[in-house]
Amino acid sequence: MTEINSVTTLTHDGDVAVITLNSPPVNALSGNVRQGLYDGFKAAGASDAKAIVLICEGRTFIAGADISEFGAAAGTPTASLFDVQDMMENAKVPVVAAIHGTALGGGLEVALCAHYRVAVPSARLGLPEVALGLLPGAGGTQRLPRVVGVETALEMMTSGRHVPAPEAAKLGLVDELAEEGKLKEAALAFANKCVAENKPLVKISENNTKLEAARGKPEIFAAFRKANARKFRGFAAPEANIKCIEAAVNSASFDEGLKAERKLFGELMMGSQSAAQRYYFFAERQAQKIPGIADDIPLRPIKKVGVIGAGTMGGGIAMNFANVGIPVVIVEQQQAPLDKGLATIRSNYERSRTAKPEETAKRISLITGSLSMEEAFADVDLVIEAVFERMDIKKDIFTKLDAICKPGAILATNTSGLNIDEIASVTKRPQDVIGLHFFSPANVMKLLEIVRADHTADDVIMTSMKLSKQIGKIAALVGVCPGFVGNRILGQRQREAQKLVLEGAMPWDVDRVLYDFGFPMGPFAMSDLAGLDIGWVKEKSNGETIRDVLCEADRRGQKTGAGYYDYDENRNAQPSAFTEKVIHDFIVKSGANPRKIDDEEILERCIYPMINEAVKILEEGKAIRASDIDVVWVNGYGWPVYRGGPMFYGDLIGGPAVVLKKMQEFEAKMGDQFKPAALLEKLVAEGKKFSDLKG
Ligand code: CAA
């Protein structure tokens, strides 16, 4: 065995040279890896090997470029990815890439320079750069459509989808599927077969057949852009990916296409969107790390889950566990709501069709119902309460759980803002009590706020964090405070949106500004969608707020055809003259003078107080680090990921000094609600950024 460098070895197996990479955790293409590959291929090429296999140790094949290198200062000069690719593609003997785990981004781009690819069925292949606000910048945009065709390449590159190996084999991306666990043997056998059969050294860059099929058909691209306009709104990267494939089709040569790719890659790399999306990639992973708790702390096994409440929330929560094979028992007080809840779960599964019918049936069978907590919860490892938001009801439930559940069971509440310490205080085991705040619809929304109460044990926190990953959620650990992190910050935006309307902006002005910023919808459109009458009581309504008056006029949102907006039969929203009059009457009654409010003020009034509140949350220790707040807002509240989150955005627009100045201005004009956080002033005094708040 020859050690090429610290992450690369070269061995020989008969006539085949085997280059093995071992650079944990994911064999990303750092400088060291690129140099190892370059030197490895050079040495293999100079040996008497008749074929070369590239294989990786550890959990995966190369999962892409090393994202942490992007934007960082250049280190010691090393071989570039292009050098490595040239060396592979122009090797004099067949090169076979042996793929397990994931071949993503630069990893797939490397594999596409091998003459052949062998993969185990569990492997996944893709060009996910779009998710980082980028495009595949190492020839992937030019090679992929040459293999899979233009339409499939458009879909793969703009979605970033990780394609399972069996599908990749059908698409021609993989030449042979190996038996699981026998990758090396299969790759060696394939390499020997190449030699024995004198198979050609296939260079993807030289095969234009699939591109020619799309030449002179701009309608392919026009139709794709049109069909995906909503999905791509606001993002720069999907369009740049499409342009690269257009360049592949229309360029006179592979090299000309590469030039277009390089140029567009550079533009994206320099832009703020990719910076935000790359930051966000690490923010999500950082959020899983809890200072003071070892990552390998023994976890509590979760083999069976109980849920209290068969409503929309309880049902959605239950589905998450059934989806990963964990049995769930739901408890309700009455048979009718229990039956209704279970029926809703069934129909949700049947409608969503995300799994094969037999898998769907299995998931449904894992969710059972009961009318008795005593019977249902004696053996559960985790119970999640998802009932009405009233402290007395929650306390009553936790008193019972304390008496019923086995020692060590985790007792969780899905409260969206009640004091969990108070809930825990009725039990004799506050160390087992935690908040698991799911977002509605709980089977769809990615965010999970995990709420640490005063006495919550470390292993309960870590078990919850790991469980969240198992059920496909993105978790952030937060502390007990009204509204926790997400809703507490949302409260600022809601307040300002309402106030702006009473000062002269129309709801559709506020919504438009926030929509253009990148939110899926503004607060008023959101209220109409959710129903204006949530929490509204007809008997107590006395026209005190705009919402009261709208509900009294039976304008309760989309479901009644009118709310803040008027809706046509297809639920298309139109500004409403009725709402405008209601607002006008309120302003007149208050004696205020409506004024013209420009878009800039709307945005600043909505966003700056959110950033200020986030800083207060950090100051109080209710979130660990600034980036956790961004994880909450991107995942749970539709903050556009290409703006990173409120904290990243705060730095992007100039940092704490800019936010402080604006908050002081607002405070002077409009009072205490805009009082800057003490920590904001401290950051400015110390010349720090929001991203310096790292916990
Ligand atoms: N660069 C640097 N670090 C990476 C990385 C990458 N490409 N991919 C993953 N990591 C790191 C993660 O930050 C994480 O580090 P910590 O343990 O310190 O938090 C560790 O590897 C494990 O990652 P995950 O927790 O995400 O592990 P997973 O098993 O859940 O997922 C994965 C594995 C599917 C590979 C996932 O990490 C992933 O999707 N990675 C990104 C893949 C990607 O986008 N590749 C394209 C890169 S851009 C490119 O290649 C441009 C080009 O054209 C040259």
Side-chain angles (χ1 to χ4, degrees):
M1 184 180 83
T2 313
E3 215 164 271
I4 299 290
N5 69 3
S6 59
V7 294
T8 321
T9 59
L10 175 65
T11 52
H12 283 85
D13 189 304
D15 284 339
V16 184
V18 180
I19 297 171
T20 307
L21 267 185
N22 186 8
S23 180
V26 295
N27 289 308
L29 291 159
S30 59
N32 214 15
V33 168
R34 294 194 304 269
Q35 193 62 46
L37 282 172
Y38 182 82
D39 293 338
F41 274 100
K42 200 167 169 192
S47 74
D48 55 4
K50 296 196 175 126
I52 305 171
V53 164
L54 168 64
I55 194 162
C56 293
E57 295 266 328
R59 63 212 261 197
T60 179
F61 188 75
I62 303 164
D66 185 343
I67 307 168
S68 61
E69 271 189 355
F70 293 166
T76 328
T78 53
S80 74
L81 199 47
F82 291 106
D83 296 335
V84 173
Q85 290 176 309
D86 279 350
M87 185 74 84
M88 291 174 70
E89 206 168 37
N90 296 319
K92 298 280 181 291
V93 296
V95 174
V96 178
I99 301 170
H100 76 293
T102 48
L104 299 176
L108 181 56
E109 290 174 299
V110 165
L112 288 174
C113 291
H115 304 120
Y116 297 97
R117 284 152 296 282
V118 174
V120 286
S122 58
R124 287 172 298 138
L125 297 84
L127 293 177
E129 284 85 345
V130 71
L132 300 169
L134 291 173
L135 55 86
T141 68
Q142 305 303 298
R143 287 192 177 87
L144 188 72
R146 283 176 159 83
V147 181
V148 302
V150 165
E151 272 104 339
T152 305
L154 282 169
E155 183 274 319
M156 276 180 68
M157 280 165 47
T158 57
S159 70
R161 188 165 70 90
H162 301 181
V163 177
E167 183 187 340
K170 286 193 191 126
L171 292 171
L173 261 182
V174 165
D175 297 284
E176 188 169 281
L177 287 173
E179 202 181 312
E180 212 64 63
K182 301 241 167 86
L183 180 62
K184 191 168 173 190
E185 293 87 323
L188 285 170
F190 192 93
N192 280 313
K193 191 166 81 174
C194 289
V195 177
E197 295 176 7
N198 204 15
K199 276 182 175 282
L201 305 183
V202 179
K203 290 189 191 177
I204 290 170
S205 56
E206 290 177 353
N207 186 349
N208 295 333
T209 318
K210 293 206 166 141
L211 297 182
E212 275 152 15
R215 207 158 278 165
K217 292 184 188 159
E219 63 275 14
I220 297 177
F221 296 96
F224 188 78
R225 285 188 170 100
K226 192 163 169 224
N228 291 285
R230 245 177 103 95
K231 199 161 108 200
F232 299 159
R233 180 179 75 91
F235 286 91
E239 176 57 24
N241 274 273
I242 297 171
K243 280 192 175 135
C244 284
I245 303 179
E246 269 178 329
V249 171
N250 298 324
S251 296
S253 68
F254 179 78
D255 284 343
E256 198 182 297
L258 267 191
K259 267 193 206 137
E261 178 190 279
R262 258 317 338 120
K263 179 169 172 289
L264 287 159
F265 181 83
E267 285 169 16
L268 289 178
M269 187 60 108
M270 298 304 289
S272 67
Q273 289 205 358
S274 177
Q277 289 175 259
R278 282 180 277 130
Y279 154 86
Y280 185 75
F281 174 86
F282 289 112
E284 240 179 44
R285 282 151 183 86
Q286 191 65 20
Q288 307 314 303
K289 298 180 177 115
I290 313 302
I293 308 184
D295 200 46
D296 57 356
I297 186 174
L299 304 179
R300 300 193 186 184
I302 306 294
K303 299 215 171 76
K304 186 174 177 193
V305 172
V307 171
I308 311 175
T312 313
M313 199 35 122
I317 292 173
M319 288 172 76
N320 287 299
F321 295 99
N323 290 348
V324 295
I326 300 177
V328 190
V329 53
I330 305 183
V331 168
E332 257 295 346
Q333 281 180 317
Q334 312 278 336
Q335 192 67 45
L338 181 60
D339 290 343
K340 187 167 171 240
L342 292 173
T344 305
I345 290 172
R346 263 195 305 278
S347 80
N348 279 347
Y349 270 126
E350 277 153 11
R351 251 187 309 124
S352 75
R353 295 207 186 134
T354 43
K356 293 196 179 123
E358 57 277 17
E359 175 59 26
T360 302
K362 188 177 145 216
R363 292 178 187 182
I364 292 173
S365 74
L366 283 173
I367 303 178
T368 52
S370 170
L371 296 179
S372 158
M373 287 212 267
E374 286 78 3
E375 277 169 26
F377 290 162
D379 63 344
V380 295
D381 304 298
L382 160 70
V383 54
I384 305 169
E385 160 281 307
V387 304
F388 198 64
E389 286 283 80
R390 249 178 52 194
M391 184 54 90
D392 54 339
I393 302 179
K394 308 241 178 206
K395 279 183 165 172
D396 183 45
I397 286 176
F398 274 74
T399 306
K400 288 186 182 134
L401 291 178
D402 193 25
I404 296 166
C405 293
K406 66 184 183 189
I410 298 178
L411 312 182
T413 169
N414 178 53
T415 180
S416 56
L418 293 179
N419 186 328
I420 300 178
D421 289 310
E422 198 178 330
I423 297 175
S425 72
V426 300
T427 72
K428 287 187 268 324
R429 39 172 137 174
Q431 74 279 4
D432 297 339
V433 177
I434 194 163
L436 294 181
H437 181 208
F438 288 83
F439 288 71
S440 191
N443 51 320
V444 177
M445 291 292 287
K446 283 265 171 215
L447 178 64
L448 182 64
E449 273 185 331
I450 297 185
V451 194
R452 181 206 317 236
D454 276 351
H455 300 286
T456 311
D458 287 355
D459 64 342
V460 170
I461 292 172
M462 228 43 193
T463 301
S464 303
M465 299 296 297
K466 302 275 174 181
L467 190 62
S468 73
K469 187 161 186 190
Q470 193 186 343
I471 62 173
K473 300 288 177 209
I474 310 289
L477 185 66
V478 303
V480 176
C481 59
F484 308 133
V485 166
N487 283 342
R488 179 167 161 185
I489 293 174
L490 178 67
Q492 297 290 315
R493 194 186 81 178
Q494 298 297 77
R495 187 196 66 221
E496 285 313 300
Q498 296 292 343
K499 275 169 51 193
L500 282 161
V501 161
L502 289 172
E503 291 170 34
M506 283 294 124
W508 30 96
D509 297 327
V510 177
D511 281 352
R512 176 181 41 77
V513 169
L514 291 171
Y515 178 81
D516 289 348
F517 183 78
F519 284 104
M521 61 177 72
F524 297 99
M526 188 52 155
S527 296
D528 275 2
L529 178 68
L532 280 187
D533 54 356
I534 294 180
W536 176 76
V537 184
K538 189 174 181 180
E539 294 69 34
K540 291 191 187 159
S541 184
N542 52 10
E544 255 179 26
T545 63
I546 295 169
R547 195 243 331 227
D548 280 352
V549 177
L550 293 176
C551 284
E552 285 162 20
D554 209 27
R555 298 177 66 98
R556 300 185 192 196
Q558 283 196 20
K559 60 187 172 188
T560 56
Y564 285 105
Y565 293 82
D566 294 333
Y567 293 90
D568 66 17
E569 60 284 5
N570 297 320
R571 295 203 171 193
N572 291 316
Q574 291 299 326
S576 155
F578 183 92
T579 304
E580 198 165 337
K581 164 114 187 16
V582 172
I583 292 169
H584 182 75
D585 291 350
F586 263 88
I587 295 177
V588 169
K589 212 165 84 189
S590 72
N593 280 326
R595 63 191 174 92
K596 168 119 190 54
I597 303 180
D598 62 25
D599 290 358
E600 195 183 348
E601 180 177 346
I602 292 176
L603 190 65
E604 289 175 350
R605 286 272 298 278
C606 289
I607 303 285
Y608 284 66
M610 291 169 67
I611 300 175
N612 189 48
E613 193 67 23
V615 177
K616 286 186 185 166
I617 287 170
L618 287 159
E619 182 179 282
E620 293 165 25
K622 303 299 180 188
I624 296 171
R625 46 180 93 78
S627 58
D628 286 5
I629 289 177
D630 290 342
V631 168
V632 167
W633 263 77
V634 168
N635 269 299
Y637 297 83
W639 184 285
V641 64
Y642 57 79
R643 294 193 201 274
M647 297 280 86
F648 181 90
Y649 181 72
D651 279 333
L652 191 67
I653 56 177
V658 169
V659 178
L660 176 63
K661 186 160 171 279
K662 196 49 88 175
M663 291 305 291
Q664 285 168 335
E665 228 176 273
F666 287 156
E667 187 188 20
K669 262 198 243 156
M670 291 172 280
D672 265 6
Q673 283 170 330
F674 295 92
K675 192 171 172 42
L679 180 58
L680 182 60
E681 292 179 349
K682 188 162 174 265
L683 285 174
V684 175
E686 292 173 358
K688 288 189 173 155
K689 297 196 284 194
F690 294 116
S691 60
D692 291 322
L693 298 170
K694 288 187 176 146

